Amino acid sequence: MESLFGTEPLEDFKSVSQDMFNHLYGNTENITAINSTITAATQELKQLIIQCNFDLDQVAAVIKTKSWDKNKIQHFLTLLQAKRTDLLYSLLTHSNSSHGESLSNFNWVLKLVLGSSELKSLKYPLVQLMLHTDTPQGNKRQRMYELNKEALAKFITVLENVELK
């Protein structure tokens, strides 16, 4: 992270470090200044987080011991604290998705389907399940399933019988 903390002037350092935190474990499409400084600093920060066993307080302690510009260190630690929740969520999602596609969010809607014909009236419930997943490559997917009562019961049974490693 020497190259990051060597960025001059202070405003450029703030901009680059903000971009780095915003895209540490996400895609890098919107980074305003993609360059080797951000790439190298991102990799070094990831390694530091791993070396500190994902303890962000320990990461902050290590950074405080460096002989870099105190204003830059203070700004960096302020960003680290401000992005703490998002960073921990990104770490967890990245770690889980590195082992295969993982669920990042879900939503469900209960629907009641009504219909009629000359022969009979239809009235049955459906559950619409939307799963948001992350792939090992960092892509996000959305999958939608509609389940009737029997399919939902089978789905719940399968989930209850999953063996955890």
Side-chain angles (χ1 to χ4, degrees):
M1 292 194 305
E2 293 285 339
S3 59
L4 173 67
F5 281 90
T7 304
E8 293 294 338
L10 183 59
E11 292 307 314
D12 286 350
F13 170 79
K14 287 180 178 181
S15 174
V16 169
S17 58
Q18 180 73 39
D19 283 345
M20 186 187 74
F21 270 105
N22 286 340
H23 302 89
L24 189 63
Y25 284 101
N27 65 22
T28 56
E29 294 171 1
N30 298 323
I31 291 182
T32 56
I34 289 184
N35 59 36
S36 60
T37 301
I38 292 177
T39 305
T42 300
Q43 292 305 319
E44 289 174 31
L45 182 57
K46 287 179 182 179
Q47 286 299 338
L48 180 59
I49 290 170
I50 291 169
Q51 290 170 358
C52 294
N53 292 322
F54 303 95
D55 182 355
L56 297 182
D57 293 328
Q58 191 175 357
V59 170
V62 169
I63 290 174
K64 285 179 185 178
T65 64
K66 302 293 183 178
S67 60
W68 297 319
D69 182 303
K70 297 300 176 193
N71 291 331
K72 291 179 181 178
I73 289 175
Q74 186 58 42
H75 177 75
F76 191 84
L77 294 177
T78 302
L79 278 176
L80 182 66
Q81 189 62 32
K83 300 281 186 181
R84 183 180 202 91
T85 303
D86 294 336
L87 186 58
L88 289 173
Y89 177 76
S90 296
L91 284 165
L92 178 65
T93 302
H94 176 75
S95 176
N96 284 343
S97 66
S98 65
H99 301 291
E101 194 167 352
S102 65
L103 183 67
S104 60
N105 199 357
F106 71 95
N107 198 358
W108 61 274
V109 177
L110 181 61
K111 295 181 176 183
L112 184 62
V113 178
L114 300 172
S116 64
S117 70
E118 293 177 15
L119 299 174
K120 64 178 182 176
S121 293
L122 296 175
K123 189 174 181 181
Y124 61 93
L126 281 178
V127 171
Q128 187 178 52
L129 182 61
M130 290 165 279
L131 303 177
H132 303 269
T133 60
D134 295 325
T135 64
Q137 296 78 24
N139 299 326
K140 297 189 180 303
R141 290 190 180 157
Q142 181 176 339
R143 300 170 188 263
M144 185 179 74
Y145 302 97
E146 288 188 350
L147 307 167
N148 61 19
K149 183 178 177 181
E150 293 79 28
L152 182 60
K154 288 179 185 177
F155 182 66
I156 291 170
T157 302
V158 167
L159 289 176
E160 289 175 341
N161 293 326
V162 170
E163 290 185 29
L164 300 176
K165 293 180 181 180

